[in-house]
Amino acid sequence: MNFNVEENLGAVDRSISSLQRDGQPAHAVILARTYVTTHEDLWDAVTSADRIPHWFLPITGNLELGGTYQLEGNAGGRITACQPPSSYAITWEFGGFVTWVDVRVSAEGPHSARFSITHTAHHSEHWDTFGPGATGVGFEMGLLGLYMHLTDPDQPRPDPLEFAMSPDGKALLTGSGHAWGEAAIAAEADPELARAAAARTIAFYTGEEFDAG
């Protein structure tokens, strides 16, 4: 895999908001990336059961409003809203927890389209420990996979573990983790706690020893 780490880190917009969901404190992790493709092609890439495995994970289920889905080895859930070709919403059910994902696809020009993800979860000890990067980094790797798929649809999806252990992969995961820590600070999180949480997230994704310094 040959790509520019800094260019890919800079291509992602990251933000965090605090809110109430079902009467409980919650956090929304929001990320977006713009791609050189058409609105229609981007929508197809992020909703087609045939194409999703080429950039994210193998998926099964009934991918229509009211249907269910299951990502291989990861989350499953229910499709709670769908307005083609602009948005859909799903539950994200994993490890005994239910969170929520809202997706939007928008045109930015004849050959430019934007993909945004909002992942909302109730406040938890997990958030205090790992911060927004726990989900933000993972979804960001999905956005990278989507970039590679749209750039060269015939290229096989790289092995995620091999990539994560490569120098470029570790640099990207580390940069993403730090960026999510800074996004938390921009959202008024305590800087020391936010950077420590980012360090824990980076250690988890890279397999390196935790270093909060």
Side-chain angles (χ1 to χ4, degrees), residues 11 13 72 112 155 165 203:
D13 292 328
E72 186 176 288
S112 179
Q155 184 71 18
M165 294 300 103

Side-chain angles (χ1 to χ4, degrees), residues 119-185:
H119 181 256
T120 303
H122 289 135
H123 183 80
S124 65
E125 182 179 342
H126 187 268
W127 177 274
D128 291 334
T129 302
F130 294 101
T135 55
V137 172
F139 278 120
E140 195 166 325
M141 295 307 104
L143 296 190
L144 172 63
L146 182 56
Y147 163 75
M148 298 175 67
H149 170 63
L150 293 169
T151 302
D152 187 356
D154 296 325
Q155 184 71 18
R157 175 174 174 261
D159 181 88
L161 184 57
E162 287 184 10
F163 170 66
M165 294 300 103
S166 70
D168 280 347
K170 287 191 175 184
L172 195 71
L173 291 164
T174 299
S176 174
H178 285 310
W180 281 108
E182 295 309 304
I185 293 168

Side-chain angles (χ1 to χ4, degrees), residues 181-205:
E182 295 309 304
I185 293 168
E188 302 186 346
D190 177 273
E192 183 177 352
L193 295 178
R195 291 182 177 128
R200 294 186 191 97
T201 293
I202 292 165
F204 171 81
Y205 277 103

